[in-house]
Amino acid sequence: MRFETLDRPRLNHQDGTPLTVLQAPAGYGKSVLLSQWEEKWQARSLKSVWLVLSGEYVSEDEFWGLLASALGIREDEDSLQTMEDISGFLSALTEPLIIVIDNFEYATKPSLDIELMQLLDCSPFVQLVVSGRRSSTMMSPLVTSQYAASIMTAADLSFTSEEMRELAQVYRRDSSGGIENFGQSVGGWPLPIQVACASSGPASEKMSAIVAEYLAWAGEGAGLKILLEIALCPGISRRALAIIECGGGEASPQAIRAMDASLRDVCDALEDQGLLIKLTTPDAARYTCHLGLKQLLIKVAEEYFSQSERQLLLRTYAANVEDRDAISSLRTWLALDAIHEAEQVARRHFVQLILDTEKMREVFDGVPDRVTENYAALDGLRFMIDQEDPRLGWELKRERMARRRISMRGLLNSDDPGGVLIAEASLMSAEAMLGNVAEAGQLARDLDRRMSNLAESGASEQLAMSALLRTLIAYAATACGDFEIAEENNLHALELAKRAGNPFMHMRALRGLILIHDCIGNAKRAHYYHDQLRGLQEAWGDNSEDRSIVMPDMYIAETLMLYTAFTGWGESMEAQPVSPELVRSDVWTVSYPMLLITEAEGDRRLNGGEHALRLLKHRIRMWPAFEEASDAYALMLRRYMAKLMAVAGDLEGSRKIIDAMPDSDAGTNTALARMYLFQGEGQKALKELQSCDPDDLIPRQKSEQTILLALTLWQQGLEAEAMMAASDALRQMEQVSGYSALIWVPYSALLELAEHMRDQGVDALYKMVITMPETLRSKQFGHLSRAELRSLEELANGESLEATADALFISINTLKFHLRSIYKKLQVSRRNEAIQRAYTLGLINYSARKARV
């Protein structure tokens, strides 16, 4: 059947390229493309000579004789003389000459390739085009040489969706949609697509004839059987095929070797026809079948093999590909209901399997939970995959995790050490994800003890598995505020990942360390690990290739860290958008507080503290369990809210949060001091700061406490002590925590102190303060006298000035004097604004006023 052909400009021959290679199985249109090129060369008066080799190997003497004849040169009996004549002919060229060799795999070998390379060196006018089916032979010394080569493979020759639609229109097909879907199912393979376009009826019906033709090429005996076996088992080795042919693993090594030798010719013949693709692997000769035929061959294979033959084939295959393709091995064992074997594969390759979540979802789809629930590695894998599955809503995830907790706890008492480790890690992760941080912390400490008693082997997979378990311990410990245990485990995981040569676990450990040091406010250390992470990601390509199971907190930590920049208020402090995927998060776990802080900090830098506070309150109203949340992140969010309310003027709200903090929280004194400072009560602020033990504070709290002390001393008139405290604060920020502590204090007072220090010859603080963005400059409101407070309370009842003055037993002028002072201290211009500001500052008790009304 003659086909209408498409002129595809993307496949045009590149003039002037010394070497052009076409390599694809049969039916990909290599000869058609060469013919199109020939027509274009003729139209442009370019000369070309052709060698179309037969289906048998050509000797070097025969090859040079054929090339000499094509060039019009007399063949000499001495092949060396023939080569010299050809070389001389090509050296004398004064215009381009294109030499085309079709079916090049029948001639290529190292010595011939080297001689052809020498011919290309004879003249800049020579252009060589080679075409063939077999990838293993086409990737020859000539093709892999130093020449600038244009290489087109099956992926390039396949029809694109646009080309399939165009071809359907050429053949006047009523609908191109069926053709396009069919083309995608056969991988864009041109031959069946053209047959389908040129024939009437549904496209898929024409595949049966093509399959029958290709199966006829394979033959009725061993060829057909091997082709079908490889279609069922892509990537299987020839040795595994020999074991199957010998009846299984009981055959003698001698019999297997003999069968392997006899199968070599069969596989080579199938490869010649383009039915098989030989995979170049260091361990063995492995094969896969033509992509377009695969699905249809599988249907034939299901009828060809008996149930027992399929069982033997698949069991041998699963064992054969495990080290190279653990996912295919696991999928096969599960399909055979061989759960014990699947569990062993899951244990040996746990980290490798967990990295490709999309393929693993496909593996577990259709496998009921009850099948794997009593197997530690399989159930652990399912848990890890489920928690990242975007198709599952949080309620379904919660239900699955709650159900798995029962089976996981049962596995903790088994006599299987490896299973216990995986089960405890999975259970610990489930508890952390569900917000049960106390239980997660207890499991983390127990798992830490188990891991410490474990002799870690040198096998890379075992080292990677240990690194994963260590990062999971660190994750749970961080949620509980056990930052020391968390850091130790992530550092241990970092070393294990380096020894294993596993970049994914390496990046996961670095993210965990970034998160820890951001939580404690050690910005310098967080940036140190962040630089390492960025270097790793650049070395390993695009971030999307990092498939390690990173909890959302670890991504958020990197975003949040941009707001605690070590170097000041430069570009690194610009507000960064929070990932839309994270903003849509509906998982009320330890991840959520980090998200809210990140989002609020970004908004504050864009729109100011009051706007950020409204956004944060709105987001928290969507979190019904916030009041009960007890993890370290929730506590960090409460501290953050108290600070944000203070700088936004909501001192009453700040005080309520501080009062609800646990007695053991070391930052309570600092939080109270900040509230008093913004309220203008310096003596109370100083008392709280002096009662605070700096050794109990994390680095961020320590720098905040020191700068608060400096401002409190400054407002008390203790200039020398204030300067000393400010210098200490700057030193702490520079060494560890970053300059974010400066955005949580009254800006006007901070600027006054900075200007005074500049006048005394110390300008470091001043340089930081004057470059602070406007949105981060917090206001401080003056302290109201008792008379002013009484006046404001009465005015809040809504009475007139005269009625208010009478109620207070003062004159109207005295009340107006108090009002002017109140407006100045609260930075407002009207009575209603003053009353509202007084409510948010906690100066007026709203509930008491309601009771009076």
Side-chain angles (χ1 to χ4, degrees):
M1 179 181 289
R2 291 180 57 81
F3 299 113
E4 297 288 345
T5 56
L6 293 177
D7 183 13
R8 298 185 277 173
R10 66 184 179 87
L11 298 180
N12 283 345
H13 179 253
Q14 297 180 14
D15 291 345
T17 304
L19 177 64
T20 301
V21 181
L22 300 180
Q23 186 276 308
Y28 269 83
K30 298 183 296 298
S31 298
V32 171
L33 186 60
L34 289 173
S35 299
Q36 290 177 329
W37 287 357
E38 170 69 8
E39 291 175 2
K40 294 178 180 178
W41 295 334
Q42 289 177 354
R44 296 169 55 202
S45 299
L46 290 174
K47 294 182 179 180
S48 62
V49 296
W50 287 63
L51 280 74
V52 182
L53 305 181
S54 64
E56 297 179 357
Y57 283 98
V58 178
S59 68
E60 286 190 56
D61 290 346
E62 291 174 319
F63 178 83
W64 294 117
L66 290 169
L67 182 55
S69 299
L71 293 170
I73 300 173
R74 184 179 60 83
E75 181 183 357
D76 196 283
E77 293 182 359
D78 185 355
S79 61
L80 291 177
Q81 184 59 48
T82 301
M83 289 173 56
E84 289 182 9
D85 293 342
I86 293 172
S87 178
F89 175 84
L90 297 178
S91 299
L93 289 174
T94 57
E95 56 185 16
L97 175 66
I98 302 170
I99 301 174
V100 180
I101 308 173
D102 202 359
N103 296 331
F104 182 60
E105 67 263 32
Y106 294 123
T108 181
K109 52 186 173 181
S111 57
L112 177 63
D113 282 23
I114 292 171
E115 291 161 356
L116 282 172
M117 291 162 62
Q118 293 171 351
L119 284 187
L120 284 175
D121 290 334
C122 289
S123 170
F125 293 103
V126 177
Q127 299 176 41
L128 184 60
V129 177
V130 298
S131 172
R133 295 175 179 176
R134 300 177 64 180
S135 60
S136 57
T137 52
M138 285 296 291
M139 292 298 105
S140 61
L142 173 66
V143 175
T144 59
S145 66
Q146 76 276 15
Y147 294 102
S150 173
I151 300 178
M152 298 183 186
T153 64
D156 302 300
L157 296 174
S158 298
F159 281 130
T160 64
S161 295
E162 292 76 12
E163 290 165 349
M164 282 186 272
R165 286 195 292 269
E166 184 180 349
L167 192 67
Q169 292 171 2
V170 168
Y171 284 101
R172 297 180 177 84
R173 298 284 296 199
D174 293 336
S175 171
S176 61
I179 290 292
E180 187 174 345
N181 293 336
F182 170 70
Q184 291 171 353
S185 71
V186 296
W189 187 22
L191 174 62
I193 295 169
Q194 288 183 337
V195 170
C197 284
S199 308
S200 60
S204 57
E205 289 182 2
K206 300 304 170 186
M207 273 303 290
S208 58
I210 299 173
V211 172
E213 182 181 351
Y214 270 70
L215 293 182
W217 289 358
E220 291 296 330
L224 177 59
K225 184 178 181 183
I226 293 300
L227 177 60
L228 296 177
E229 287 174 340
I230 292 173
L232 278 175
C233 306
I236 194 170
S237 71
R238 197 170 60 225
R239 185 178 185 280
L241 292 171
I243 292 173
I244 295 166
E245 290 299 308
C246 291
E250 300 301 322
S252 66
Q254 294 83 357
I256 293 173
R257 281 196 297 270
M259 181 57 69
D260 182 42
S262 66
L263 290 178
R264 183 184 296 112
D265 294 336
V266 177
C267 291
D268 287 348
L270 293 171
E271 190 187 359
D272 281 345
Q273 297 297 337
L275 298 172
L276 291 187
I277 299 172
K278 187 176 183 179
L279 306 174
T280 304
T281 62
D283 58 341
R286 294 181 178 274
Y287 299 89
T288 187
C289 73
H290 189 292
L291 176 63
L293 284 170
K294 182 178 177 182
Q295 295 302 322
L296 292 145
L297 289 177
I298 288 175
K299 293 180 181 178
V300 176
E302 289 172 349
E303 298 176 359
Y304 185 91
F305 296 110
S306 67
Q307 183 66 24
S308 59
E309 288 174 327
R310 279 174 56 84
Q311 288 277 331
L312 172 61
L313 172 63
L314 293 176
R315 293 183 75 89
T316 306
Y317 169 69
N320 179 244
V321 299
E322 179 184 331
D323 290 334
R324 298 190 72 254
D325 189 355
I327 291 179
S328 292
S329 179
L330 180 65
R331 180 189 287 113
T332 305
W333 286 124
L334 288 172
L336 292 168
D337 290 329
I339 309 303
H340 176 75
E341 289 83 352
E343 169 72 5
Q344 299 311 308
V345 172
R347 292 193 185 194
R348 287 190 290 267
H349 305 280
F350 196 93
V351 175
Q352 179 186 342
L353 293 168
I354 209 70
L355 294 180
D356 202 330
T357 53
E358 290 188 12
K359 287 186 178 179
M360 286 302 297
R361 285 188 203 117
E362 296 175 4
V363 169
F364 284 122
D365 277 350
V367 179
D369 286 356
R370 67 176 184 279
V371 173
T372 58
E373 65 183 4
N374 292 320
Y375 293 86
L378 290 173
D379 206 43
L381 282 173
R382 296 195 80 153
F383 165 70
M384 301 287 183
I385 298 302
D386 279 355
Q387 74 181 21
E388 294 197 0
D389 191 343
R391 302 171 302 174
L392 302 178
W394 172 239
E395 290 305 320
L396 183 55
K397 288 182 182 180
R398 178 188 292 275
E399 179 186 332
R400 290 193 177 187
M401 282 189 285
R403 188 169 62 246
R404 287 207 178 100
R405 288 162 67 196
I406 300 172
S407 59
M408 290 175 188
R409 288 191 180 280
L411 292 168
L412 293 182
N413 299 320
S414 71
D415 297 328
D416 176 9
V420 169
L421 289 175
I422 297 174
E424 189 160 26
S426 302
L427 178 60
M428 176 186 66
S429 302
E431 298 289 11
M433 289 287 287
L434 290 168
N436 303 324
V437 290
E439 293 85 346
Q442 184 177 349
L443 289 165
R445 288 185 286 273
D446 184 65
L447 187 56
D448 184 36
R449 287 192 293 272
R450 290 180 191 269
M451 294 292 293
S452 299
N453 296 330
L454 181 68
E456 288 152 342
S457 71
S460 61
E461 189 66 31
Q462 290 302 313
L463 292 173
M465 181 64 186
S466 296
L468 173 62
L469 294 177
R470 290 286 181 184
T471 61
L472 291 173
I473 294 170
Y475 174 71
T478 306
C480 298
D482 293 338
F483 298 118
E484 186 175 347
I485 291 178
E487 184 175 19
E488 287 176 1
N489 277 278
N490 268 324
L491 287 172
H492 198 161
L494 199 62
E495 290 304 314
L496 292 170
K498 289 178 182 178
R499 286 168 55 193
N502 189 306
F504 306 114
M505 287 301 106
H506 194 160
M507 284 187 262
R508 179 176 169 78
L510 286 173
R511 278 198 172 99
L513 287 165
I514 293 170
L515 175 63
I516 292 165
H517 286 286
D518 184 77
C519 286
I520 66 176
N522 192 338
K524 190 170 186 178
R525 202 66 182 165
H527 275 266
Y528 168 75
Y529 290 121
H530 188 265
D531 290 342
Q532 288 191 33
L533 177 63
R534 285 290 175 234
L536 257 183
Q537 288 174 332
E538 290 172 7
W540 285 90
D542 192 280
N543 296 354
S544 63
E545 293 299 316
D546 175 13
R547 299 167 297 168
S548 59
I549 51 165
V550 180
M551 303 289 184
D553 310 68
M554 299 184 185
Y555 287 122
I556 296 170
E558 291 182 66
T559 307
L560 182 62
M561 194 187 65
L562 295 172
Y563 304 128
T564 57
F566 175 70
T567 53
W569 314 112
E571 293 181 1
S572 59
M573 284 298 290
E574 290 299 320
Q576 302 293 325
V578 180
S579 165
E581 182 180 345
L582 297 175
V583 172
R584 290 194 301 268
S585 172
D586 61 349
V587 182
W588 316 116
T589 64
V590 291
S591 305
Y592 203 64
M594 293 293 287
L595 168 61
L596 297 187
I597 294 173
T598 305
E599 192 178 29
E601 275 295 271
D603 189 74
R604 184 184 177 203
R605 278 157 175 73
L606 290 172
N607 304 306
E610 292 184 14
H611 191 279
L613 181 59
R614 286 197 298 272
L615 172 68
L616 183 59
K617 287 181 176 179
H618 171 72
R619 293 283 276 169
I620 285 181
R621 280 196 294 270
M622 300 166 59
W623 183 8
F626 175 59
E627 296 299 329
E628 290 75 35
S630 59
D631 55 84
Y633 299 162
L635 179 58
M636 185 165 63
L637 176 58
R638 291 189 179 95
R639 292 196 200 106
Y640 175 80
M641 284 185 67
K643 291 196 298 185
L644 186 58
M645 285 178 170
V647 300
D650 187 358
L651 296 180
E652 183 180 20
S654 179
R655 181 58 186 255
K656 287 180 179 178
I657 293 176
I658 294 169
D659 290 343
M661 284 184 183
D663 296 335
S664 59
D665 183 57
T668 302
N669 298 102
T670 303
L672 279 171
R674 178 182 293 102
M675 189 196 68
Y676 287 137
L677 183 63
F678 273 96
Q679 213 168 26
E681 301 187 45
Q683 287 293 338
K684 290 184 178 180
L686 187 59
K687 180 180 178 181
E688 291 294 338
L689 292 169
Q690 289 174 340
S691 64
C692 182
D693 185 354
D695 293 337
D696 294 336
L697 301 176
I698 59 177
R700 180 181 291 127
Q701 293 172 334
K702 191 175 295 186
S703 61
E704 290 177 0
Q705 188 258 0
T706 310
I707 195 65
L708 281 170
L709 178 62
L711 288 183
T712 304
L713 293 168
W714 170 256
Q715 293 191 337
Q716 297 297 309
L718 303 172
E719 296 179 359
E721 292 88 340
M723 287 181 59
M724 186 179 300
S727 298
D728 288 343
L730 280 175
R731 189 162 44 252
Q732 291 169 1
M733 295 178 204
E734 183 179 0
Q735 291 175 351
V736 176
S737 64
Y739 293 98
S740 64
L742 297 177
I743 67 177
W744 301 109
V745 295
Y747 181 78
S748 58
L750 183 64
L751 180 60
E752 289 176 5
L753 176 57
E755 289 173 338
H756 179 76
M757 293 178 70
R758 180 197 57 181
D759 295 341
Q760 300 299 315
V762 183
D763 62 354
L765 180 61
Y766 180 77
K767 289 179 179 179
M768 291 298 303
V769 172
I770 61 171
T771 57
M772 187 185 299
E774 288 285 342
T775 53
L776 301 180
R777 298 181 179 184
S778 305
K779 297 178 182 179
Q780 182 182 15
F781 306 103
H783 177 60
L784 301 187
S785 66
R786 183 181 296 276
E788 290 166 346
L789 280 173
R790 287 182 59 214
S791 299
L792 202 54
E793 287 177 350
E794 286 297 329
L795 285 167
N797 291 323
E799 300 292 341
S800 65
L801 290 181
E802 291 79 3
T804 301
D806 290 342
L808 293 171
F809 302 103
I810 59 175
S811 69
I812 189 77
N813 289 332
T814 302
L815 179 59
K816 289 180 178 179
F817 174 79
H818 289 332
L819 268 180
R820 285 194 294 271
S821 178
I822 290 170
Y823 291 166
K824 181 179 179 181
K825 291 179 179 180
L826 297 185
Q827 301 178 36
V828 295
S829 56
R830 295 197 299 271
R831 186 198 309 183
N832 288 340
E833 290 178 356
I835 293 170
Q836 185 60 44
R837 179 64 53 79
Y839 286 148
T840 58
L841 289 175
L843 303 177
I844 297 176
N845 190 310
Y846 181 71
S847 58
R849 173 179 176 263
K850 284 181 66 177
R852 287 200 302 273
V853 173

